Amino acid sequence: MWKDFVRGLWADNPTFRLNIGLCPVLAVTVSALNGLSMGLATTLVLICSSALISLLKNLIPAKVRIPAFIIVIATFVTIVDLVMHAYLPDLHSVLGLFIPLIVVNCIVLGRAEAFAAKHSVLRSAVDGIGMGLGFTWALTLLGAIRELLGSGSLFGMALLPEGATTLGIMSLPPGAFITLGLLMAMMNMITARQKKTAS
Amino acid sequence: MSLFTILLSALLVNNFVLVRFLGICPFMGVSKDVDSAIGMGLATTFVMVVAAAATWLIQWFILEPLGLPFLQTLSFILVIASMVQLVEMFLHKTSPGLYRAMGIFLPLITTNCAILGFAIMGVQNSYSFIETVIFGLGAGLGFTLALMLMAGIREEMQFADIPKPLRGVGIAFIVAGLLSLAFGGFAGLV
């Protein structure tokens, strides 16, 4: 059970290791808070849909499983979308298009197909939590770096004095690509070093 | 907005991949050689144009009159998935050559967020039918353009001496960042 949880955090981290579900990673991470909330919204969908799909795995015929999974996922996404619209309207307008697009996030469908369709409800839910949190920390880290360098603040709190020069490019699309590329290189270096010390 | 403006805006100024971050997974996955990049791009463009027409009709003739816009995400993704299936069957029957060329890419298109994304965007902008179709065409061609540029660069990069940790996806993202910077030059064109 513990293994199911930690796998998503590091060894099979969806962003840095599996390189899936990258669109929201790049698009919403202008600030740390946006990254965190997008991550948590995806985590919620992931836990609910993994648990329900695992519950229904013996009822869904193998031939139509992909459309059935998509319907389950789309239902939970619609719920999250409507709840956020009602209670967090500011956040909802910032994340905008990328909330409904959780439906086509490969992480959710990927975990449904690769894990939830074969394992018990509890294990699937735990796997969902691990993968979701792995995705969340990646988004929050990228958001924090871009917010710090791009607008000199962190979680909305200004850290640099008024009028300090910031790297405006970090808030623009090129900044997202370049930061993620460098972060991936860093993860590769850490893994290579771990392997070296292990052997 | 004129039709040409919509086309140009979706193709260059707000390029779906490099500026709006839609369809990053196929952009990274299928950009290793130019031939498959063109195949993937054209298959996606085709599905986008068909999906543009279908989702427009569903939104304004079924969901809006019946007061069901909250079913938008659910119905759009189902329509796109079945469109992809239909296109696959149609190509298989009518043009086996094209089917073999595009075959492996077709199932992947369902989970391309550029398609669902542009369909929802079209509704948000309340485009007319013809505008939605042109928007789909521009978005698809923009995706193809970005994919082809990326594939061309990655083919050349095979002979470059890249620092070890950056190899693979890392350098691809940095190249994408530079491409995105270049596309920033189109801002203000429309």
Side-chain angles (χ1 to χ4, degrees):
Chain A
M1 192 76 87
W2 180 245
K3 254 188 178 164
D4 291 334
F5 177 66
V6 292
R7 189 177 38 225
L9 293 181
W10 184 259
D12 273 348
N13 185 287
T15 306
F16 294 123
R17 284 275 161 277
L18 307 179
N19 302 334
I20 54 175
L22 292 172
C23 302
V25 176
L26 293 160
V28 305
T29 51
V30 181
S31 73
L33 187 65
N34 286 359
L36 183 67
S37 25
M38 184 69 206
L40 292 179
T42 312
T43 307
L44 193 67
V45 173
L46 195 55
I47 299 169
C48 297
S49 56
S50 277
L52 188 64
I53 285 166
S54 167
L55 202 64
L56 296 174
K57 62 179 178 285
N58 296 325
L59 291 174
I60 299 174
K63 269 187 184 161
V64 294
R65 67 181 192 288
I66 299 287
F69 292 170
I70 290 180
I71 294 175
V72 170
I73 296 165
T75 310
F76 283 114
V77 170
T78 308
I79 294 171
V80 168
D81 193 19
L82 292 177
V83 169
M84 278 183 90
H85 201 157
Y87 294 102
L88 303 162
D90 295 341
L91 199 61
H92 184 267
S93 65
V94 173
L95 300 180
L97 186 63
F98 284 89
I99 296 286
L101 287 184
I102 298 175
V103 179
V104 279
N105 190 321
C106 333
I107 303 173
V108 186
L109 190 64
R111 288 330 279 173
E113 169 80 359
F115 198 90
K118 294 181 193 110
H119 295 89
S120 70
V121 178
L122 194 61
R123 283 189 68 188
S124 306
V126 170
D127 176 74
I129 299 174
M131 282 287 161
L133 292 182
F135 182 64
T136 307
W137 80 254
L139 276 162
T140 314
L141 178 67
L142 190 62
I145 294 175
R146 286 183 66 196
E147 193 184 349
L148 194 63
L149 296 176
S151 41
S153 57
L154 203 59
F155 286 102
M157 284 184 300
L159 295 180
L160 293 181
E162 196 74 25
T165 313
T166 52
L167 291 167
I169 189 97
M170 295 307 273
S171 313
L172 296 172
F177 281 115
I178 294 173
T179 315
L180 186 60
L182 292 175
L183 271 180
M184 283 190 171
M186 239 168 65
M187 295 296 153
N188 285 343
M189 259 171 79
I190 294 173
T191 317
R193 198 157 295 168
Q194 274 176 342
K195 261 185 204 151
K196 220 183 224 171
T197 44
S199 64
Chain B
M1 250 208 281
S2 74
L3 293 179
F4 184 67
T5 318
I6 292 176
L7 183 72
L8 205 64
S9 159
L11 180 61
L12 296 176
V13 182
N14 289 313
N15 185 283
F16 263 59
V17 181
L18 297 168
V19 180
R20 284 201 168 126
F21 304 117
L22 292 166
I24 299 289
C25 295
F27 177 65
M28 285 296 156
V30 202
S31 63
K32 291 200 177 92
D33 65 287
V34 176
D35 287 342
S36 37
I38 294 175
M40 181 70 184
L42 292 181
T44 307
T45 309
F46 187 59
V47 174
M48 268 189 173
V49 173
V50 180
T55 52
W56 190 88
L57 291 173
I58 287 180
Q59 178 72 24
W60 302 110
F61 283 104
I62 298 177
L63 296 182
E64 286 290 338
L66 297 178
L68 298 169
F70 63 90
L71 286 179
Q72 192 191 49
T73 315
L74 195 66
S75 48
F76 278 16
I77 189 69
L78 278 181
V79 169
I80 292 168
S82 35
M83 270 311 154
V84 172
Q85 193 78 44
L86 204 70
V87 168
E88 195 177 337
M89 277 155 56
F90 179 76
L91 279 184
H92 192 57
K93 192 87 182 161
T94 53
S95 153
L98 196 62
Y99 175 77
R100 262 197 303 280
M102 286 190 183
I104 47 166
F105 303 120
L106 283 168
L108 288 176
I109 294 175
T110 313
T111 51
N112 184 339
C113 55
I115 298 182
L116 184 62
F118 110 89
I120 296 174
M121 241 186 260
V123 171
Q124 279 172 352
N125 294 345
S126 21
Y127 283 152
S128 70
F129 181 76
I130 189 81
E131 279 171 343
T132 309
V133 173
I134 295 290
F135 183 46
L137 184 68
L141 291 177
F143 177 77
T144 313
L145 178 68
L147 213 61
M148 273 168 61
L149 288 173
M150 188 68 184
I153 297 174
R154 278 180 102 170
E155 275 187 359
E156 292 296 317
M157 260 186 343
Q158 282 175 351
F159 307 105
D161 186 21
I162 299 158
K164 216 171 184 182
L166 271 175
R167 270 176 212 171
V169 195
I171 193 73
F173 270 110
I174 291 177
V175 169
L178 297 176
L179 273 179
S180 166
L181 203 57
F183 270 71
F186 289 118
L189 193 67
V190 181

